[in-house]
Amino acid sequence: MTSLKTLAIGAALTVFSLPAWAETDITFWHSFGGGNGKALEQIISDFEKKRPDIKVTAQEIGDYNDIVTKLQAAIPAKRYPDVVLLEITRYGLFAEKGILENLTPYLDKDPLKEQLYNFALDVGKYKGSNYVIPFNSSTPVTYYNKALLRAAGLPDTVPLKNFNDLLGAAKTVQEKLGAQGKFGITPMGQFARWGIVMSNDSDLIDPVSNDVIVDSPKTVAAYEWMADLVRKYKVASVDGITDEDAAKAQFTAGNVAINLDSTGVFGGFKKALGDDLGVAPFPCEAVCRVPIGGAGIGIVSMIDAEKKKAAYDFISYMASPEANAIWFAATGYLPINKKTLDVKVAADAANKDEGITVSIKQIDYARGRPRPPVVTWMRKMEYGVWESVALGQKQVPDALKELAAQTRAQTTN
């Protein structure tokens, strides 16, 4: 017969062991829906199978801008997540205020540090410390619709190496197919605009000094060229100026021949256009240089120590070869782990369609962008500036001079 003493000891041991088996719930804010969202669900499911002691509650919050806005509101209300995806130029705003945990002590003890490509480590750094672990890294590339090019009398392999090449092909498509409601090129989205500026050997903010240079002559010239696609040459529709999603939709619907966009939309574009989708490197103008985009995952510093440990284990897994291989194969975002392409699903994707590997070939001249806190404000304001110049409401030099002055004022406030 079991004694009361034995039962008491067993109960005590059970209570003592509960923390080792208790589930830690991690709330993760992200911005992925559709096919990308399904790939994310698979990665999270795989992680939870490996770590049944950690439950990840993933919440799609909106786009990158929405996450910034909602996180700013959530902090004082104390309704913040444990882990958050932040666009790679905008996390500095939260790192500066101490809202993001410094991940360098975690990363220094993690074998992941040696596995990540240098660009992936670098874009996660703010003032010398890592505050995010990259997840979805990208560069802009040149997408084109082979069927539309052929219909306009152009070969599938028409050169799209520089600004003149792009304009020439867009003009031909517009001349031949414009009456059918087709356009030569989509208006540049903000990521592509930044790329065009960098290709013209300039920037919006100097990446070393953080000086505002959005009104520099080379930046002005780049914006002039982009705006002229709409207002002068009329090879790009005004409809896509104020709505980047609408511009993408026009391309995937087969109504636009050329679209400069992130590698991260490769999966969706391929599904829409199939074998008619072509992918070329981003155009080189004064230099060959492309911005690194995408986002990284950080930990909110106000959560307790136990959650921080679980949260880091989660974001470390998100950059592992296994997770990154699934993500690369499903979306086209860059491999960030040196071992990613050794995983079968990633190797199969790379061998199946060389278009998915174009971004990898650009890595040697891909550059991280400046990320001081003012970038978040500046990028928000830039949308309106772009609309005003592309629609011909303001002259480019005047509009960029005004944006530069306002941005410099923000840095001194």
Side-chain angles (χ1 to χ4, degrees):
M1 183 175 180
T2 304
S3 68
L4 290 176
K5 181 178 180 181
T6 302
L7 288 172
I9 292 172
L13 288 172
T14 300
V15 172
F16 180 78
S17 65
L18 275 176
W21 294 98
E23 186 178 83
T24 302
D25 194 334
I26 299 299
T27 302
F28 172 39
W29 281 10
H30 66 87
S31 62
F32 301 112
N36 289 4
K38 291 185 183 301
L40 180 65
E41 288 175 6
Q42 180 183 344
I43 294 169
I44 292 174
S45 175
D46 289 349
F47 170 74
E48 290 178 331
K49 290 174 184 175
K50 291 177 180 291
R51 292 294 302 272
D53 58 319
I54 302 174
K55 168 67 176 175
V56 179
T57 301
Q59 300 176 353
E60 183 187 351
I61 298 302
D63 63 22
Y64 293 149
N65 294 324
D66 294 330
I67 289 180
V68 169
T69 300
K70 292 177 182 179
L71 185 58
Q72 287 175 314
I75 298 304
K78 297 184 178 180
R79 300 180 64 179
Y80 41 80
D82 304 304
V83 178
V84 59
L85 182 95
L86 289 166
E87 193 274 332
I88 215 69
T89 67
R90 289 176 249 213
Y91 71 84
L93 174 69
F94 299 101
E96 183 72 24
K97 295 180 178 180
I99 293 169
L100 291 181
E101 181 83 354
N102 184 347
L103 302 180
T104 300
Y106 301 84
L107 193 57
D108 284 346
K109 300 175 184 177
D110 191 343
L112 177 70
K113 184 176 181 180
E114 300 303 317
Q115 295 177 10
L116 292 176
Y117 285 110
N118 286 336
F119 82 84
L121 283 170
D122 289 344
V123 297
K125 285 183 179 178
Y126 177 73
K127 293 186 175 180
S129 296
N130 285 86
Y131 286 91
V132 297
I133 301 297
F135 175 61
N136 54 306
S137 292
S138 63
T139 61
V141 294
T142 303
Y143 294 103
Y144 57 96
N145 186 319
K146 298 176 186 178
L148 282 185
L149 293 181
R150 287 195 298 267
L154 295 169
D156 291 355
T157 55
V158 61
L160 299 171
K161 296 181 179 180
N162 53 45
F163 294 179
N164 281 338
D165 286 347
L166 290 177
L167 180 58
K171 281 182 173 180
T172 299
V173 171
Q174 200 68 43
E175 178 186 346
K176 302 290 186 180
L177 306 176
Q180 302 174 30
K182 310 299 183 184
F183 281 90
I185 193 168
T186 57
M188 302 292 164
Q190 192 180 74
F191 190 31
R193 294 197 292 276
W194 207 316
I196 290 293
V197 169
M198 289 177 68
S199 180
N200 206 41
D201 197 22
S202 193
D203 216 312
L204 309 185
I205 293 178
D206 187 282
V208 177
S209 68
N210 284 338
D211 291 338
V212 177
I213 57 172
V214 71
D215 55 346
S216 66
K218 290 181 179 179
T219 301
V220 169
Y223 271 83
E224 291 274 16
W225 183 82
M226 292 186 287
D228 279 347
L229 295 175
V230 182
R231 63 189 188 184
K232 180 179 178 180
Y233 300 113
K234 304 187 187 305
V235 294
S237 170
V238 296
D239 296 335
I241 294 172
T242 57
D243 188 344
E244 293 185 12
D245 289 337
K248 287 182 175 67
Q250 284 296 305
F251 180 73
T252 56
N255 294 323
V256 184
I258 302 168
N259 180 44
L260 275 61
D261 216 320
S262 166
T263 58
V265 298
F266 174 85
F269 281 8
K270 186 67 178 180
K271 184 177 181 180
L273 297 179
D275 291 340
D276 283 334
L277 180 68
V279 189
F282 199 78
C284 299
E285 186 64 12
V287 294
C288 286
R289 189 177 299 145
V290 291
I292 296 172
I297 308 175
I299 297 173
V300 175
S301 63
M302 291 81 77
I303 65 175
D304 63 49
E306 188 65 26
K307 274 201 170 187
K308 285 179 182 177
K309 184 179 182 303
Y312 183 78
D313 289 348
F314 168 61
I315 64 176
S316 177
Y317 177 79
M318 296 293 276
S320 69
E322 296 79 13
N324 192 223
I326 293 171
W327 190 244
F328 164 73
T331 66
Y333 277 107
L334 283 168
I336 58 173
N337 194 302
K338 298 172 187 175
K339 298 183 178 182
T340 293
L341 292 176
D342 294 334
V343 180
K344 187 176 185 303
V345 66
D348 288 348
N351 292 329
K352 182 179 179 181
D353 193 329
E354 65 178 12
I356 201 173
T357 66
V358 169
S359 60
I360 301 173
K361 298 171 184 176
Q362 297 183 153
I363 287 299
D364 287 345
Y365 51 90
R367 299 289 182 270
R369 291 169 289 168
R371 39 200 175 271
V374 75
V375 171
T376 301
W377 182 90
M378 182 186 193
R379 293 191 65 175
K380 182 178 180 180
M381 299 301 294
E382 190 271 349
Y383 286 110
V385 171
W386 163 245
E387 290 175 14
S388 71
V389 298
L391 294 173
Q393 297 165 347
K394 288 185 178 180
Q395 296 300 308
V396 172
D398 296 336
L400 294 187
K401 183 177 180 180
E402 182 179 349
L403 176 61
Q406 292 172 342
T407 306
R408 291 179 185 120
Q410 284 288 316
T411 63
T412 59
N413 289 341

